Amino acid sequence: MSCSIKGIGVSPGLAMGKVLVYKEASLEYDDKRLSLEEVAGEKRRLVKAFTESRRQLMEIKERVARTIGSEEAAVFEAHIMILDDPDLAVKINTKIEKEKKSAPAAVDETFHEYINLFAALDDDYMKERSADIADVQQRLLANLLGVELNPLESLEEKVIVVAADLPPSATALLDREQVLGFVTEAGGRTSHTAIMACSMEIPAVVGATGITDAVSPRERILVDGEKGEVIVNPGEQEETLFRERLAIYQERMKKLALLRDLPAESKDGCLVLLKANIGSSFDIAAARKYGACGVGLFRTEFLFMGRKEKPSEEEQFAAYREVAASFGDAPVIIRTLDIGGDKNLPYLDFPAELNPFLGWRAIRFCLDRHALFITQLKAILRAANYGNVKIMYPMISGLEDLRAANDILDRAKTELREEGVPFNETAGVGIMIEIPSAALIADRLAREVDFFSIGTNDLIQYTLAVDRMNEKVSRYYQPFHPAVLRLIRLTVEGAAKAGIPVGVCGEMAGDPAATELLLGLGIRELSMSAPSIPRVKEKVRQLCCRECENLVEEKIG
Ligand code: PEP
Ligand code: MG
């Protein structure tokens, strides 16, 4: 029997294929004492898990070396060395033989002894190695228990992923070639998982309540990432209709592609700059393909995800330089680390918070972690020698945050000067306006920055007190609420008084349904996931700015 489920369409496109149900791996096991007869079998199980772990690590190492780089691949070489340590196998075997521990229990205990030993050392490098040891422990346990650790990382066939939730870290790692689409129960329109799906051009539906119970592995499923519709186990007629819609969709995409080199100019001659939001150098190609005139938001936090430790200054420099250089004279706005909220990093020791979106997030976190912040700022300042780079701070709530961040920027410059490392002294500095307090004092903030970029995702969340991740309150998440529009207008007015540019880089920028209001509010720069550019360009070219202003008058007076 087919059934249909409605969710929130967050990444347009139509996908049809087989279901893969994603669950975070559970490494729980039964901690029973072995009988004498069970010992030999348990030791054989251990050997098999060692062999399989080694095989997987070799394969990952080679793949990472091929697709990312040899420095990243070295992490996996270190994991293989841990696994090959002869003492390790002897210790685990002794626990099985002498103490009659099961293989998972023996692995767990032995690794804990190693981790405690390393963590107690007075050496940061060695302390950090304990994270690698814990990683090998997880892999061995997973292989003993027959569980797959990161099932989305490398897939053998094309699938549509269905999950209760898909954290941004798992999304960042997923196999772009094989994942045709995904559907989750959790999440809102502007959750970071949704945003990533959009840039990856993977059709996605979130907030699809009941989907995990409705599907069985390998069942067929149809996903409409625009309308938010999911059909499980479709009948023949449903499949035929879907195929017809797919053909129409592809035709429309072809038509939109013809707009690539035309300007985003309204009927009455207002030019609008359409830029790309990117998360890594992976997204450069899409930005080019869709004719972005620069990068309005580089979310650098994705560089920090899906790994065991933070990227070094050199690694960050290389990543920022690649993006800066590939856009030539076009501006590239690099946003400093916006971590916290729904984006967590296991190696940064985030405490559990009751309200993570109101908590230790973004600039607040960086202002408390000087070393981490300075490292990033130095990398950006250096990269600014290779293109038209601007620095942007997220989550600024007032002048104090801005000035504190600028003080650290000055320290980063001093350090680079002392080290004799070349960098760009004059890279522009701007802020995100995404907290109502910042919008309300935009005129004051504008005097101390070079540009504003309005982050509507958070601005809506904080103005309307509605969690952007929580599908249960998604009806309160109203981008066109007059309160939100008034805050945007205040920001535009504040920027105009100081003569600085202002853009929008939240998801509203990429939604053609919002273009009319944004133009009417005086916005002339929109930054969005690159695949959204053609639809917004088409809309701009149909509009007349003067009429858009009248619409704003009607809406908010
Ligand atoms: C925003 O808040 O609108 C924004 C662009 O930032 P992020 O979605 O990364 O929080
Ligand atoms: Mg934000």
Side-chain angles (χ1 to χ4, degrees), residues 190-192 195 277 297 299 301-302 335 338 342-343 357 361 392 394-395 432-434 453-459 461-462 468 477 504-508:
T190 59
S191 60
H192 284 96
I195 291 171
N277 289 353
L297 169 64
R299 287 187 168 94
E301 49 278 7
F302 294 116
R335 179 174 76 181
D338 182 358
D342 63 336
K343 294 172 289 189
F357 272 108
R361 218 197 125 177
M392 177 159 75
M395 286 280 292
M432 304 247 340
I433 300 286
E434 51 185 345
S453 184
I454 305 176
T456 48
N457 304 339
D458 279 315
L459 188 63
Q461 151 163 277
Y462 297 131
R468 65 194 262 194
Y477 193 91
V504 171
C505 66
E507 293 310 284
M508 243 176 126

Side-chain angles (χ1 to χ4, degrees), residues 426-447:
T426 55
V429 177
I431 56 173
M432 304 247 340
I433 300 286
E434 51 185 345
I435 300 184
S437 60
L440 289 165
I441 57 160
D443 53 344
R444 297 237 213 130
L445 287 163
R447 288 185 219 135

Side-chain angles (χ1 to χ4, degrees), residues 475-488:
R475 68 180 185 284
Y476 290 98
Y477 193 91
Q478 295 169 6
F480 305 130
H481 193 291
V484 174
L485 301 179
R486 284 191 182 190
L487 288 175
I488 296 177

